[in-house]
Amino acid sequence: MGLEFNDAFIQAEEHRPKPYISEAGGIPVIDLSPINAGEGEAFSGLVAEVGSASKNWGFFQVINHGIDGKVLERIHAAAREFFALPLEEKRRVRRGEDNPLGYYDAENTKNVRDWKEVFDFVTSESLEIPATDEPGEKRTDLFWNQWPEYPPEFRDVFEEYSKEVEKLAYKLVELISLSLGLTATRLSSFFKDGMNFIRLNHYPPCPEPQLALGVGRHKDSGALTILFQDDVGGLDVRRKNDGEWVRVKPIQNSFIINVGDIIQVWSNDAYESVEHRVSVNSERERFSIPFFINPAHYTNIKPLEELTSEENPARYEEYNWGQFFKARKNSNFRKLGKENVQIYHFKKALLAN
């Protein structure tokens, strides 16, 4: 038994996808091949491209990123094989409020159920987060990855991929740091003991794709997301200049990169975390595999001093990443009857001059 459509999946009318979404005028595609030079005209051009895409779109697609296509084939095959297992087999590694890692098929976004099933794991084998989202909470909980028994190669394939995609993530963080006029390593220290995790998404064919979404409209709460997707397509990005939804056209062996809320706050709104969603279809299943690079749970997030001034004062109050993450995770499991925590809740009321 897979997902069964019911009213819990139905989006409010204003949030339902239109029958046709344009792929024209889509997110920038950036060739990362100059990334290892570290200097020179091509590298400077790359930094400028990353800066422009982060500022104008909050999203970009990268090619020639250095991760072998065979590694990507293996993760796609392993994800496909896992989600094809009987439901009772997948639920042997089911996640819940007692452990946010593992398999799940009843996630909510903006208090509406998503048409998808997921599997989450951390790249460090265990996850430490605050015990509650109460301010000043000092106790922490430790969670461990729940690896499935089948397919037997699943753990090895994804541990290999984790190492590769983490290397790419740190290079991208350096490019973003340079594009903000900071030193290459200015942001890197925030990721010591980081809460990096990988999600496998499976979007089965949906009998009512005009009423539901694979993931409702949202912004990513972490620092940076690196997404691998198959050739089906369905990721929609809200274009900043006109607010229209644009479909990201799949490019074989590419990654889609998006700036998260944390980089928006660090940059003091120079770069913006942009709303996106996943549309579904009635014919083809779709797989995607995002990697989320995040700081350690004890990290407090606030605008960087170098990017604030008298003319451009800090626009956000400081907040704790672990507690923010904990509060957001809680909202995935049950309808809250209210909006979950967002970075704009920490926005300062700036005095008009």
Side-chain angles (χ1 to χ4, degrees):
M1 287 286 287
L3 296 175
E4 289 188 16
F5 194 84
N6 59 45
D7 289 355
F9 292 102
I10 296 177
Q11 294 283 330
E13 201 165 334
E14 66 270 24
H15 299 309
R16 292 174 195 168
K18 291 177 184 171
Y20 174 76
I21 294 171
S22 173
E23 286 182 344
I27 66 172
V29 177
I30 298 178
D31 183 345
L32 285 187
S33 45
I35 200 167
N36 293 317
E39 58 185 350
E41 201 173 321
F43 183 76
S44 300
L46 173 59
V47 170
E49 275 190 276
V50 167
S52 172
S54 299
K55 184 177 176 59
N56 297 323
W57 277 90
F59 266 83
F60 51 98
Q61 205 157 0
V62 298
I63 57 173
N64 297 324
H65 43 68
I67 297 182
D68 195 304
K70 289 188 173 59
V71 172
L72 301 179
E73 283 171 22
R74 285 197 288 273
I75 62 168
H76 186 211
R80 182 183 286 277
E81 209 176 324
F82 171 74
F83 286 117
L85 292 170
L87 186 58
E88 61 270 22
E89 186 64 37
K90 290 181 283 196
R91 284 187 168 168
R92 289 174 66 178
V93 289
R94 183 179 169 86
R95 78 175 209 208
E97 288 190 61
D98 56 335
N99 185 353
L101 303 173
Y103 172 79
Y104 200 58
D105 60 357
E107 192 163 88
N108 296 306
T109 301
K110 306 277 187 194
N111 290 319
V112 181
R113 190 168 167 192
D114 295 329
W115 185 262
K116 68 178 180 192
E117 50 180 349
V118 305
F119 180 86
D120 289 338
F121 65 95
V122 287
T123 60
S124 57
E125 202 52 52
S126 65
L127 172 68
E128 188 176 10
I129 59 174
T132 71
D133 58 10
E134 294 300 316
E137 176 64 82
K138 293 286 185 279
R139 295 168 301 157
T140 60
D141 290 329
L142 196 62
F143 302 108
W144 300 86
N145 285 331
Q146 302 189 80
W147 294 108
E149 203 175 327
Y150 302 102
E153 71 282 4
F154 187 91
R155 179 173 180 170
D156 288 345
V157 164
F158 280 104
E159 285 185 340
E160 175 194 28
Y161 175 66
S162 298
K163 293 186 182 81
E164 295 289 320
V165 75
E166 257 180 347
K167 279 187 232 163
L168 175 61
Y170 286 116
K171 287 179 180 176
L172 288 164
V173 165
E174 288 187 2
L175 289 175
I176 285 171
S177 189
L178 288 166
S179 74
L180 286 165
L182 305 166
T183 62
T185 57
R186 175 64 177 92
L187 303 178
S188 307
S189 60
F190 289 114
F191 298 102
K192 181 181 178 289
D193 305 328
M195 294 164 51
N196 300 340
F197 74 97
I198 289 176
R199 161 166 287 189
L200 316 186
N201 289 311
H202 175 225
Y203 306 98
C206 179
E208 302 286 350
Q210 75 284 4
L211 298 178
L213 287 166
V215 185
R217 73 202 191 286
H218 68 286
K219 299 180 178 187
D220 288 356
S221 58
L224 198 68
T225 305
I226 300 175
L227 177 89
F228 170 72
Q229 64 167 352
D230 64 14
D231 64 348
V232 174
L235 174 64
D236 302 330
V237 173
R238 196 187 283 282
R239 190 162 50 200
K240 281 179 70 174
N241 63 6
D242 60 7
E244 285 297 311
W245 289 106
V246 178
R247 176 71 41 84
V248 177
K249 188 176 182 177
I251 298 174
Q252 189 175 13
N253 292 346
S254 69
F255 286 105
I256 297 154
I257 316 299
N258 64 284
V259 166
D261 288 347
I262 289 175
I263 284 178
Q264 177 169 337
V265 173
W266 280 339
S267 74
N268 206 32
D269 286 348
Y271 296 165
E272 190 182 336
S273 174
V274 167
E275 209 167 41
H276 51 290
R277 68 181 188 192
V278 174
S279 294
V280 287
N281 71 82
S282 57
E283 281 115 43
R284 294 183 68 191
E285 62 182 342
R286 175 176 177 262
F287 297 89
S288 73
I289 303 175
F291 167 86
F292 302 93
I293 182 169
N294 299 315
H297 72 89
Y298 50 74
T299 308
N300 289 333
I301 309 297
K302 63 179 180 179
L304 299 174
E305 281 180 25
E306 302 97 310
L307 301 178
T308 59
S309 63
E310 259 185 71
E311 299 75 40
N312 183 31
R315 299 180 181 200
Y316 295 90
E317 303 287 355
E318 187 173 69
Y319 66 92
N320 175 265
W321 163 241
Q323 286 165 345
F324 189 99
F325 178 86
K326 175 75 174 177
R328 286 288 279 261
K329 276 291 172 200
N330 287 348
S331 72
N332 289 343
F333 294 103
R334 55 181 180 272
K335 291 193 176 187
L336 297 177
K338 62 177 182 178
E339 185 180 40
N340 60 12
V341 64
Q342 308 285 343
I343 55 168
Y344 73 75
H345 296 146
F346 300 94
K347 202 119 190 189
K348 289 185 174 184
L350 296 177
L351 296 172
N353 291 329

